[in-house]
Amino acid sequence: MGFRDDVVIRVRAESDGARIDARSSSRYGSFDFGTNAARVRSLMNDIEDAIRAQKPERPPPQQPAKKPAPDKKDQRKR
């Protein structure tokens, strides 16, 4: 119908990933027949699908283990 709606999306970093908050609101009228809720649900489903479709990141290559430094007792005096 061409009514204007406002959509706000916030992405915040968390220790294990990110948190996404989304909100949709009609500018006119007091009832939207569920359009805003459907819009947010659709957006979240699209984001979840995109995340599932991503290839997992490769872990960084492991560095060879460093040899421990010799104790002072093991070092010879010159």
Side-chain angles (χ1 to χ4, degrees), residues 4-77:
R4 291 187 180 224
D5 298 324
D6 295 321
V7 178
V8 178
I9 301 168
R10 178 175 61 178
V11 180
R12 292 184 291 168
E14 293 200 346
S15 60
D16 59 342
R19 179 183 181 101
I20 301 172
D21 297 314
R23 174 181 157 299
S24 180
S25 175
S26 300
R27 286 188 181 188
Y28 307 106
S30 58
F31 190 71
D32 66 350
F33 300 98
T35 302
N36 290 311
R39 182 180 294 119
V40 170
R41 254 187 250 113
S42 176
L43 172 67
M44 291 302 183
N45 288 337
D46 290 347
I47 291 170
E48 288 176 5
D49 291 345
I51 291 169
R52 278 192 218 106
Q54 286 183 345
K55 293 181 181 178
E57 293 181 14
R58 289 185 181 177
Q62 293 183 350
Q63 299 292 331
K66 293 182 179 180
K67 294 180 182 178
D71 292 340
K72 289 184 180 180
K73 294 178 186 177
D74 295 338
Q75 293 178 352
R76 294 182 184 175
K77 292 185 181 179

